[in-house]
Amino acid sequence: MKPESYVSSGSEAEHQYISYRRSTALWKGTLCLLFLLLCVTLLWIIYDEYAGQLETLYYFIAAILGMWLIGPLFFMFLFRATASSTVLLSWNDEGVHTRKQTILWNEIRKIELASPAFSKWILSASPMIALYLKDGSRRHIQTDHLFTKKERRRAIVLLQETLRKKQQQDT
């Protein structure tokens, strides 16, 4: 499928939105589940005493680290795959709508793609759309690793163009 089907928009008067493919969340969640099963298998090998002393240490560390790093991703993809709506964010003439809030266009200063970094618990943070507000604060919209680089870039460009149009209308 083309990326255009994942970043959807209608005419200016309609509600525009950016959505992800549920199948992406499903296959990435399945990969995480397989990796978690591998971690459980390593712990089972230790429990049944099939591993030597040195292997036991390696297997235990690998299993715990694997669960620590991949476990949250599995639940994130599971949540996205089973969510009732695949819309990440939407907007209309009023503002940008996320699951939690609405941000008015006249409050937004700029929109950028924030690069991922590790969290304080050394967990993977997904790329996010950053809305910089005129009061100096920021709102982040997580993309949860559900878009390719090209799809993320298209979404940012679409939002930035819409913001520019709204700012020109206000002046």
Side-chain angles (χ1 to χ4, degrees):
M1 294 181 115
K2 295 180 183 176
E4 289 81 21
S5 62
Y6 312 136
V7 179
S8 304
S9 65
S11 70
E12 284 297 317
E14 294 178 6
H15 217 74
Q16 297 178 311
Y17 60 94
I18 297 171
S19 62
Y20 61 91
R21 291 182 296 164
R22 195 178 307 274
S23 62
T24 301
L26 193 60
W27 77 261
K28 286 185 175 187
T30 303
L31 261 157
C32 289
L33 178 63
L34 291 173
F35 194 81
L36 289 173
L37 290 174
L38 175 66
C39 293
V40 170
T41 303
L42 289 174
L43 291 175
W44 185 258
I45 289 171
I46 293 169
Y47 178 76
D48 271 355
E49 298 177 2
Y50 288 123
Q53 275 186 330
L54 193 56
E55 289 172 330
T56 299
L57 177 65
Y58 291 143
Y59 289 178
F60 182 74
I61 291 172
I64 297 303
L65 284 176
M67 286 183 203
W68 177 266
L69 297 172
I70 302 300
L73 290 173
F74 168 72
F75 288 108
M76 178 183 63
F77 290 130
L78 180 66
F79 170 74
R80 290 294 189 174
T82 59
S84 59
S85 173
T86 61
V87 174
L88 190 64
L89 68 109
S90 64
W91 64 93
N92 58 12
D93 288 336
E94 179 186 328
V96 177
H97 309 282
T98 64
R99 286 182 303 188
K100 299 176 184 176
Q101 62 186 355
T102 297
I103 303 166
L104 302 176
W105 287 114
N106 60 4
E107 295 176 0
I108 301 172
R109 184 171 43 92
K110 69 178 179 175
I111 299 172
E112 290 182 347
L113 180 66
S115 60
F118 285 104
S119 70
K120 65 181 179 181
W121 297 103
I122 312 174
L123 297 174
S124 174
S126 69
M128 58 190 106
I129 298 169
L131 305 176
Y132 293 88
L133 304 181
K134 290 180 180 173
D135 66 3
S137 63
R138 272 189 304 201
R139 299 288 185 270
H140 293 118
I141 302 166
Q142 299 291 333
T143 62
D144 293 339
H145 303 288
L146 294 169
F147 297 117
T148 64
K149 287 181 183 179
K150 187 177 182 181
E151 291 168 338
R152 277 194 310 265
R153 188 74 216 133
R154 277 201 73 226
I156 291 296
V157 168
L158 185 61
L159 282 168
Q160 288 171 338
E161 287 174 358
T162 306
L163 177 62
R164 261 190 300 277
K165 288 177 187 175
K166 296 298 178 191
Q167 288 172 339
Q168 288 173 356
Q169 286 176 359
D170 291 344
T171 57

